[in-house]
Amino acid sequence: MKKLLTAFVAITLASVLLLVLINRLNAAQGYSGKDTLTLYNWGDYIDMDLIDQFEEETGITVILETFDSNEAMFTKIQQGGTSYDIAIPSEYMIEKMIEEDLLIPLDHEKIPNLKYIDERFLDLPFDPGNKYSVPYFWGTVGILYNPEMLPGKTFESWNDLWDPDLKNSILLIDGAREVMGMALNSLGYSLNDTDPEHLQEALAKLRKLTPNVRAIVGDENKLLMLNNEASIALVWSGDARDIMWDNEDLDYVVPKEGSNLWFDNMVIPKTAKNVEAAHQFINFMLDPEIAAANTEYVGYSTPNKAAFELISEELSGDERFYPPPEITDRLEVYENLGKEMLSLYNELFLQFKMHKK
Ligand code: N2P
């Protein structure tokens, strides 16, 4: 009996010690659960003052990690090494994450500010009923260019980028869908095309663009454009807005063949440690004043109707960033093309990048 008791005490003590150790480790990594929120976001995609405000109002510490493509974000979340309480993927990736059972259904009762979102951005095909995701920003993909550095050049068509005068001038987004989509559109195909022959044609066309490509970059595109180190960039609309605040000479166009219309929504991954705080954060970001401040800071287009009323006319009245339906109607939203097709897109993009080096 005594032996049994000693063993029991020893096991209890060891368990307590183990728990303390795990807690310490978690705290050291910043994932201490209850009073911490880990946000996985695109780079340059939130006003840090708002994070401070959220921390002050709730006592919750926010840890921010960033990614620069949906694919990179997906891999990290799927591997599960780090647990994120919130992530902000784009629509086709949200659909894929739902399919792969990586997301938690949202409790709409905890997100009363959802009522401020414009109906146009709710209940979209990638997430019917917004069961898993809530709108954050939306936008287009287009060409940002510096007319001062490119006298006489215009960019109405994607094919204008293949102009031999543009040697070493173009910055590309480091994203398979964006770059393959641009090439497919330039050939008159859909950016959701799944015909392997068309995809090979797109790769061949991209290879012809190589001499004009200066670099394939993430958020560095902003500095490079501002410092006139590149004259053209394939960008997401809000990045163009942000750069143009600092250099008004630049212009942003969505080519006539069409382009991508995208939606980035907030989601809660299954591995989240603080689901309660995640809901609090989502609701906070949807508050009209907070969403307006975030929009004024980041430059992307807000899906929040009440926030849209609060932002400056200079921003809300600019059709390059709030394109009217005649324009958005000729744009395409990326579809979730399925595992194999997405791998093929990634593989071809990689082949193009290797060829570039
Ligand atoms: C912000 C990137 C926005 C991503 N730097 C568009 N989906």
Side-chain angles (χ1 to χ4, degrees), residues 60-314:
I60 296 166
T61 303
V62 177
I63 297 165
L64 173 64
E65 260 191 55
T66 60
F67 57 85
D68 55 20
S69 76
N70 277 298
E71 286 66 29
M73 182 260 349
F74 175 82
T75 308
K76 195 102 187 264
I77 290 195
Q78 194 188 35
Q79 284 168 351
T82 317
S83 43
Y84 299 105
D85 297 305
I86 302 251
I88 312 191
S90 309
E91 69 300 301
Y92 74 99
M93 201 43 94
I94 293 174
E95 192 176 327
K96 184 171 156 78
M97 291 172 94
I98 297 172
E99 233 173 62
E100 306 221 358
D101 200 20
L102 292 175
L103 303 180
I104 287 178
L106 303 176
D107 181 348
H108 283 206
E109 298 222 329
K110 293 188 174 148
I111 317 174
N113 289 340
L114 195 56
K115 64 174 180 277
Y116 295 118
I117 299 291
D118 190 327
E119 274 186 14
R120 280 199 293 153
F121 302 101
L122 293 175
D123 198 22
L124 293 176
F126 60 90
D127 179 20
N130 291 89
K131 193 165 166 207
Y132 296 94
S133 76
V134 159
Y136 184 66
F137 282 122
W138 66 280
T140 56
V141 169
I143 301 172
L144 172 72
Y145 70 103
N146 186 330
E148 302 260 293
M149 290 172 76
L150 301 160
K153 301 284 180 201
T154 51
F155 296 92
E156 277 148 36
S157 160
W158 286 117
N159 287 301
D160 294 331
L161 295 177
W162 274 259
D163 179 339
D165 290 348
L166 304 178
K167 289 235 155 24
N168 210 19
S169 311
I170 306 174
L171 302 175
L172 293 178
I173 294 174
D174 194 3
R177 293 301 298 263
E178 286 78 3
V179 174
M180 286 294 291
M182 167 189 79
L184 286 164
N185 274 168
S186 79
L187 291 162
Y189 299 137
S190 158
L191 45 69
N192 291 310
D193 202 312
T194 54
D195 179 335
E197 272 178 33
H198 293 172
L199 295 178
Q200 287 297 342
E201 254 182 82
L203 173 61
K205 178 124 191 215
L206 280 178
R207 288 188 158 149
K208 290 198 191 121
L209 186 67
T210 303
N212 289 358
V213 177
R214 188 169 184 85
I216 302 173
V217 286
D219 291 319
E220 310 90 274
N221 63 359
K222 296 190 182 178
L223 261 181
L224 292 171
M225 286 302 285
L226 276 179
N227 294 341
N228 293 349
E229 282 184 48
S231 50
I232 309 165
L234 175 74
V235 289
W236 292 296
S237 48
D239 278 3
R241 169 69 287 168
D242 193 20
I243 301 169
M244 284 158 66
W245 272 326
D246 291 314
N247 183 349
E248 286 182 10
D249 292 336
L250 304 184
D251 201 3
Y252 175 75
V253 285
V254 174
K256 61 173 188 230
E257 294 89 353
S259 182
N260 168 232
L261 172 70
W262 54 262
F263 308 99
D264 286 348
N265 285 15
M266 294 180 271
V267 299
I268 307 183
K270 266 225 158 124
T271 47
K273 291 242 170 75
N274 201 346
V275 175
E276 187 57 39
H279 281 92
Q280 259 175 287
F281 184 81
I282 292 176
N283 198 48
F284 174 83
M285 292 313 297
L286 296 191
D287 174 275
E289 293 204 357
I290 303 295
N294 203 25
T295 306
E296 292 276 358
Y297 179 89
V298 176
Y300 276 87
S301 312
T302 181
N304 189 310
K305 213 174 180 172
F308 181 79
E309 301 301 327
L310 297 176
I311 58 177
S312 68
E313 166 74 38
E314 185 209 345

Side-chain angles (χ1 to χ4, degrees), residues 31-65:
Y31 307 129
S32 60
K34 265 217 160 120
D35 41 20
T36 306
L37 175 92
T38 310
L39 167 63
Y40 199 27
N41 196 2
W42 298 83
D44 280 349
Y45 211 34
I46 191 161
D47 178 351
M48 295 303 285
D49 286 348
L50 298 175
I51 291 200
D52 290 347
Q53 190 177 330
F54 177 77
E55 290 185 328
E56 271 161 37
E57 281 178 19
T58 60
I60 296 166
T61 303
V62 177
I63 297 165
L64 173 64
E65 260 191 55

